[in-house]
């Protein structure tokens, strides 16, 4: 038997018991003729103490041991003379009278500690060692807890878990598919799903009423730091519902997860913010609501006073940074540099200091008098002591830049509390967005999203102004999920494909099975999909999804540990009846 | 609002309430001037009744309705005059005073009833309609329940769910991989996992102690009736365990599932049968233990009596079919034909009738006297009234044929009760099997399986006789799962690869990350993987896994509903830098 207890189990009540533990050597310290070893497993750490009473057979082994050796020890549990209240097992220690080396370890390439000396690439190459660090283990445990709680909650709410296929068909709409050549059907390919979207709709048509699945999805995109070619989605769909039914159901789930996973009590109804308001007030459709600092539109109030930059701008807006009236020249220059970065894209920054004595000091003093500044202050809710920051330009870009400046100021002022969760539903998204490259409308959410009943009539004459029954779920400025009430009639779906410039034959070729299914009694239905990796990261207070994926890939889509992707053998290529385009042989 | 209740919810306590239901029209019947509609959703069926009091606006709609229309009705719940105790809602009916057609339906291509008129191909093409049939819905609900109960049980037993990657690396060992060309790394490929085997071992090395995952796996094999190119595995691994720890843990899980999913109480310890015993007594390593009828080896007792067929055979064995002494000539001929089928492969069948009067009648009467038959009867546990069935030939094939004959007799005698579950662990598998095609040993389980401690010394001189710490889990003659205690030292793993004829460089190329991981304190570990589709089918009393998969593929690996696999566009091929070997263009 390897152990009677785990390394996290022993307490005062066990004092006097003889126990057996097996685990990894975390640290070895010598102190006053005694040796202390901290022994680690998934469940915790227990201190072993070897003093003058330890048998020689045991102490003789000590010099051999090193970090990450696995040892099995048996001995008495003793009360510690100096207890460690920070450790769950800190009241006790074990005094081994037997010890065995279960497996040896070479010196690991980096420290298995929360603060490690290993660079990211090294840690990814030795991911199995990185995963031993408590920070990563805590992340994986959080992810485990999230998954279990989600399934239990949805099961209790009559959702059925149904597994949908991974070997499906490539559809040109949207991002690139990963494809899988079929050996049994030469020249043909499966595609890996970007989401189970059409299958979950078919399950609604099949009468399953409420469906969910925690499922891997695939997108062959050029990767950004926070994207992975494979990612996990919590995918859900409900029949016979309207938008509020979906929102209320998953608001319940989110509150449950706040409670049980993060011990965060959120009682209020989640705010519902329209897409237009989100853009107008926060400069983004995923606002961080942990703090206010709303954007004020001051276009009308500032124009016509002879300041050309304002007079020529489509839009002028500002935010109020509380208590920042005493910002130095240098601090203001930093902010100007911030907004001028290419990814923010503003031309310059106008500031107005509302000094504590009630006076104003601004970069545009010569164009505006204090009464004007007073008026702006009212619009931006500025008080004496505050700093007003103003950007001007094309509406969309300026709002976006103000949104980023708002986040920057939120961070500088410590308003983005990592212990706080501020959820929101963003609703009333546009149905279409114009793609200038392709010179056509594309679906903002996806082509199965239904328009608002009252906007259906616009589809032929003014599609740009149609709103969708679509919604996003946002926490702390991070988009966690999105969904919609779907189209459920063949007629509407065909109109939608038409508006998207997808021909009848293309539609039939790609989605014929769904259009056909609509013929046989399709129920009204809607759903949502959550980015599970990201939801876990946000619940753990992190913005890196990689730290919440056991075996992630790097930015080139490579798994550095197993060294994948890799060439395959000529034999494999021959069997699949494909060739490499560059003609070179592999394997 | 679409509904106040589901179609399975209403009981006597609701009589008098006004309710709203939405569902599918299952059937419309007219009877004595009244119309009855059974309305269906996932939760059940409710009878609607339209009598002379129904508003004209409602009855006017009735002629429009057809099977599978979706209607919304509101009306009073009434007590039925003739109750239907077979239906949970059979005490009540609803008398609609409002009705709306939510969506129309064309006539479905087959009957949405338990007994349908649709052939398999038609039903697969319209799988979303097939999934509406109650038999399939029950299967999906059973699968859902299995998944939830498995996760809850394992969570309670300290197992952590960890998701392993789907885009991994191709390994030549074992079955064929599906591969995925990498656009970002031209000429290189990912492979889809046949199982997360190496990742779960790395998780043990990473200190996760107990891991599980219900996960899709992929095998590009020529398909048999009960195989799918993608299938679902319950995959588990534990550290610091020996074989009995693994068996006891999952025996607990299996008993829990018998109890809660099938309401089947199984208290006893599951039998542990060695591989040698399973082959010797049942002619297979997956014996159906719902009945006895063990095979008796009578080689020694029957040889040397001048019957050439026996004298020249390596092995002679028999089974006893109770109460079959009165089998007719025709019945015996049928059994002879059965054993002579190519898939059974016996040359002929010898029978001995042990008549009720104590006399014997046999096809080999002229070679043996009654005393001999009496001796055989003792060996086969035959009593007066029984029939002994005997096969002779090469040991392995004859035992296999006897195993199939045993199952055939079990079926004929009604001994394979679909309401009964007979589980077993098969243990002590051989470590290697000889592959005559490749002229080398292959791993019977897989190359990470550890040999029995006492057999380690045989690896250089007598690998054929090495036994493995490997085990299979069998229910009712169906292999549900298999696993092993793994190798956990680099030295032993290298020896194993060597014995399998895998060179050092191949081993390093394919499994270098695992061999390296063994350097850094790898714990002893073992695990098991269950075929989840098959386990569900067996729990549902079926032998067809397709009936337990929402969207299965056919024998050619095709999804007939979405028509996949399919050609992809030239543009996609160009981006992936691959060409079709036959040179033809697609898309």
């Amino acid at each position: 038997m390897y152990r009677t207890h785990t390394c996290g189990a022993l307490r005062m009540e066990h004092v006097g018991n003889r126990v057996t533990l097996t685990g990894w050597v975390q640290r070895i310290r010598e102190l006053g003729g005694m040796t202390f070893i901290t022994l680690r497993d998934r469940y915790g750490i227990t201190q072993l103490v070897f003093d003058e009473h330890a048998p020689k057979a045991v102490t003789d082994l000590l010099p051999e041991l090193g970090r990450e050796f696995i040892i099995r020890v048996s001995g008495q549990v003793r009360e510690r003379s100096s207890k460690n209240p920070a450790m769950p097992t800190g009241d006790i220690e074990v005094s081994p009278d037997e010890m065995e080396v279960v497996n040896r370890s070479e010196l690991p390439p980096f420290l298995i500690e929360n603060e490690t000396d290993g660079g990211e690439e090294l840690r990814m190459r030795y991911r199995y060692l990185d995963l031993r660090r408590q920070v990563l283990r805590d992340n994986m445990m959080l992810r485990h807890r999230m998954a279990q709680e989600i399934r239990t909650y949805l099961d209790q709410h009559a959702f059925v878990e149904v597994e949908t296929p991974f070997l499906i068909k490539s559809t040109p709409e949207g991002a690139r598919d990963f494809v899988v050549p079929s050996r049994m059907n030469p020249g043909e390919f499966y595609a890996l799903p970007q989401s189970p979207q059409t299958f979950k709709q078919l399950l609604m048509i099949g009468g399953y009423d409420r469906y969910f699945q925690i499922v891997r999805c695939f997108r062959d995109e050029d990767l950004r730091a926070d994207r992975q070619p494979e990612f996990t989605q919590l995918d859900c769909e409900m029949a016979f519902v309207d938008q509020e039914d979906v929102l209320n159901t998953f608001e319940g789930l989110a509150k449950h997860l706040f409670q049980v996973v993060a011990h965060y009590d959120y009682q209020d109804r989640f705010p519902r913010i329209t897409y237009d308001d989100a853009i107008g007030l926060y400069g983004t459709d995923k606002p961080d609501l942990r703090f206010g600092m709303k954007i004020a539109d001051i276009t009308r109030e500032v124009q016509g006073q002879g300041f050309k930059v304002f007079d020529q701008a489509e839009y002028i807006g500002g935010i109020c940074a509380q208590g920042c009236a005493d910002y130095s020249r240098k601090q203001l220059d930093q902010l100007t540099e911030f907004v001028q970065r290419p990814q923010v894209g503003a031309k310059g920054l106008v500031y107005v200091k509302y000094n504590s004595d009630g006076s104003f000091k601004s970069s545009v003093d010569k164009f505006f008098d204090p009464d004007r500044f007073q008026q702006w202050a009212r619009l931006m809710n500025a008080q004496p002591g505050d700093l007003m920051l103003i950007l001007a330009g094309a509406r969309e870009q300026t709002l976006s830049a103000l949104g980023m400046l708002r986040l920057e100021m939120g961070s500088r002022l410590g308003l983005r509390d990592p212990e706080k969760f501020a959820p929101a539903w963003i609703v009333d998204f546009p149905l279409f967005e114009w793609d200038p490259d392709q010179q056509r409308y594309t679906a903002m959410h996806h082509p199965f999203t239904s328009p608002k009943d009252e906007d259906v009539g616009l589809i032929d004459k003014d599609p740009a102004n149609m709103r969708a029954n679509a919604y996003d779920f946002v926490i702390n400025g991070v988009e966690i999920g999105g969904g919609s009430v779907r189209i459920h009639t063949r007629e509407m779906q065909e109109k939608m494909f038409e508006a998207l410039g997808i021909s009848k034959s293309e539609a039939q070729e790609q989605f014929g099975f769904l259009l056909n299914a609509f013929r046989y009694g399709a129920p009204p239905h809607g759903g949502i999909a959550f980015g599970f990796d990201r939801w876990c990261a946000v619940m753990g207070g992190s913005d890196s999804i990689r730290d919440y994926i056991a075996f992630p890939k790097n930015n080139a889509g490579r798994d550095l540990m197993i060294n994948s992707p890799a060439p395959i053998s000529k034999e494999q290529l021959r069997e699949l009846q494909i060739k490499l385009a560059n003609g070179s042989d592999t394997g």
Side-chain angles (χ1 to χ4, degrees), chain A:
Chain A
M1 194 191 31
Y2 285 102
R3 58 194 178 191
T4 55
H5 297 77
T6 69
C7 296
L10 298 174
R11 300 289 184 275
M12 277 301 288
E13 71 202 72
H14 299 100
V15 168
N17 293 5
R18 192 164 191 280
V19 299
T20 301
L21 303 180
T22 304
W24 283 264
V25 171
Q26 175 80 14
R27 273 193 212 182
I28 307 174
R29 279 178 308 137
E30 295 187 34
L31 201 73
M34 298 203 290
T35 302
F36 296 91
I37 291 180
T38 43
L39 194 68
R40 186 194 73 231
D41 65 16
R42 187 187 108 199
Y43 310 93
I45 284 181
T46 300
Q47 176 165 291
L48 310 178
V49 57
F50 303 80
D51 58 19
E52 70 278 18
H53 304 297
K56 189 169 177 305
V58 168
T59 49
D60 278 356
L61 276 175
L62 288 173
E64 279 187 34
L65 301 183
R67 276 174 182 262
E68 302 306 316
F69 271 54
I70 298 180
I71 56 173
R72 166 159 56 183
V73 294
S74 297
Q76 283 255 323
V77 183
R78 305 195 313 203
E79 182 171 359
R80 279 210 215 177
S81 50
S82 66
K83 297 194 169 64
N84 181 350
M87 271 172 80
T89 63
D91 288 350
I92 58 88
E93 60 194 8
V94 172
S95 164
D97 54 54
E98 286 179 51
M99 179 159 77
E100 181 201 344
V101 174
V102 174
N103 212 344
R104 304 171 62 82
S105 175
E106 295 181 16
L107 191 69
F110 51 85
L111 276 177
I112 313 291
E113 304 272 359
N114 282 353
E115 298 296 324
T116 179
D117 54 353
E120 187 168 13
E121 186 170 326
L122 192 67
R123 286 188 290 114
M124 282 185 77
R125 202 176 289 282
Y126 293 89
R127 186 66 170 179
Y128 46 89
L129 295 180
D130 203 20
L131 284 167
R132 282 187 194 165
R133 296 192 304 126
Q134 195 188 327
V135 281
L136 274 181
R137 198 166 64 237
D138 288 349
N139 293 353
M140 296 305 135
M141 293 307 295
L142 181 145
R143 186 177 176 116
H144 165 76
R145 194 76 264 133
M146 284 279 286
Q148 309 317 311
E149 291 293 338
I150 286 170
R151 295 203 195 90
T152 305
Y153 185 92
L154 293 177
D155 179 37
Q156 283 164 356
H157 288 76
F159 283 79
V160 194
E161 181 181 6
V162 183
E163 294 179 56
T164 52
F166 278 70
L167 297 174
I168 64 165
K169 192 159 96 166
S170 189
T171 55
E173 190 72 3
R176 280 192 198 83
D177 289 321
F178 282 106
V179 298
V180 182
S182 167
R183 181 178 56 86
M184 290 174 75
N185 305 275
E188 299 191 326
F189 293 76
Y190 301 101
L192 300 178
Q194 298 186 28
S195 92
Q197 181 62 32
T198 46
F199 289 96
K200 69 178 173 176
Q201 294 193 242
L202 291 171
L203 286 171
M204 294 302 102
I205 295 170
Y208 284 73
D209 209 79
R210 295 180 158 211
Y211 143 93
F212 83 97
Q213 196 183 185
I214 298 181
V215 62
R216 200 71 50 84
C217 298
F218 305 85
R219 227 167 266 183
D220 186 9
E221 288 178 310
D222 300 311
L223 302 172
R224 299 196 310 246
D226 61 344
R227 287 271 179 94
Q228 289 278 318
E230 51 177 313
F231 54 97
T232 301
Q233 220 171 259
L234 165 61
D235 193 48
C236 308
E237 197 78 5
M238 305 167 78
F240 305 120
V241 289
D242 60 24
Q243 177 169 311
E244 270 301 308
D245 294 324
V246 179
L247 266 47
N248 289 329
T249 301
F250 292 98
E251 186 161 325
L253 171 63
K255 283 178 179 172
H256 176 73
L257 295 176
F258 282 147
Q259 192 69 255
V260 297
V261 177
H263 311 292
Y264 189 81
D265 192 40
Y266 194 105
Q267 294 287 349
D268 297 342
R269 191 162 180 265
F270 291 178
R272 271 100 170 129
I273 303 175
T274 66
Y275 175 82
D276 286 347
D277 280 353
I279 299 291
L281 297 173
Y282 304 100
T284 172
D285 60 1
K286 30 183 185 283
D288 186 346
L289 299 182
R290 283 174 296 185
F291 65 108
M293 207 188 284
K294 288 181 189 167
I295 297 168
D297 178 350
I298 55 172
T299 313
R300 274 199 314 183
E301 286 73 15
V302 303
Q303 287 189 329
Q305 305 297 314
F307 180 45
K308 240 169 91 179
V309 172
F310 282 178
D311 290 349
Q312 293 177 348
E314 180 191 6
Y315 170 92
I316 304 102
I319 55 174
C320 164
Q322 285 183 348
C324 295
D326 55 358
Y327 257 36
S328 65
R329 183 76 247 159
K330 193 177 155 201
Q331 285 174 303
L332 290 167
D333 286 348
Q334 282 172 350
L335 292 181
T336 304
E337 278 162 35
F338 175 85
V339 300
Q340 288 176 335
R341 287 182 196 178
Q343 58 270 44
V344 182
K347 294 235 171 58
L349 175 71
V350 169
Y351 71 83
V352 183
K353 289 178 172 180
Y354 193 172
N355 296 318
S356 315
D357 62 5
S359 67
F360 292 95
K361 171 85 189 85
S362 169
S363 50
V364 290
D365 275 342
K366 56 177 164 180
F367 298 99
F368 303 97
D369 59 29
D371 281 356
R372 282 282 158 192
F373 291 145
Q374 195 75 54
Q375 187 193 21
W376 304 0
R378 270 198 305 279
L379 290 167
M380 295 189 213
N381 262 319
Q383 305 296 325
D386 294 349
L387 173 68
M388 293 180 271
L389 298 169
I390 297 163
L391 299 180
R395 183 170 193 276
E396 208 171 305
Q397 292 88 313
T398 306
L399 278 167
S400 164
L402 277 165
M404 288 187 257
L405 180 61
R406 175 180 172 272
L407 291 181
E408 171 67 16
M409 291 311 300
S411 297
R412 281 173 180 247
L413 297 174
L415 301 174
R416 305 178 72 185
D417 181 354
E419 305 279 301
K420 193 175 164 183
F421 295 105
W425 291 108
I426 312 302
V427 298
D428 295 357
F429 276 83
L431 185 62
F432 297 107
E433 53 190 348
W434 180 251
D435 182 335
D437 293 341
Q438 300 186 58
Q439 283 290 305
R440 67 172 182 105
Y441 285 106
T442 58
M444 185 142 183
H445 187 57
H446 56 52
F448 312 108
T449 299
S450 67
K452 297 262 174 217
D453 279 347
E454 58 271 34
D455 295 352
V456 168
L458 301 176
I459 195 156
D460 300 316
K461 40 185 194 252
D462 187 12
N465 275 317
M466 290 180 80
R467 289 163 310 149
N469 290 311
Y471 31 83
D472 272 1
F473 179 54
V474 171
I475 302 176
N476 294 358
V478 180
E479 183 194 325
I480 301 293
S484 63
V485 174
R486 324 298 181 185
I487 296 167
H488 70 281
T489 66
R490 189 182 163 88
E491 297 70 32
M492 188 65 227
Q493 189 64 63
E494 284 177 344
K495 272 200 168 162
M496 185 71 182
F497 284 139
E498 198 184 320
L500 291 169
I502 299 173
S503 77
K504 275 218 163 118
S505 65
E506 279 172 320
Q508 194 58 40
E509 162 82 15
Q510 293 302 329
F511 301 108
F513 57 98
L514 186 62
L515 290 169
N516 283 344
F518 283 152
R519 296 178 194 265
Y520 299 103
H525 60 289
I528 191 164
F530 299 91
F532 183 62
D533 309 300
R534 180 148 291 125
W535 201 351
C536 290
V538 167
M539 295 295 279
S542 166
D543 47 15
S544 158
I545 64 169
R546 255 185 236 181
D547 291 343
Y548 289 79
I549 296 174
F551 299 101
K553 294 188 174 51
N554 75 3
N555 282 351
R558 297 200 73 83
D559 182 326
L560 296 176
M561 181 183 70
I562 64 172
N563 193 22
S564 162
I568 58 173
S569 70
K570 285 185 219 176
E571 177 57 26
Q572 278 174 297
L573 290 170
R574 189 159 46 233
E575 282 197 338
L576 295 169
Q577 304 199 28
I578 57 173
K579 288 182 195 168
L580 303 184
N582 66 12
S584 78
D585 282 324
T586 59

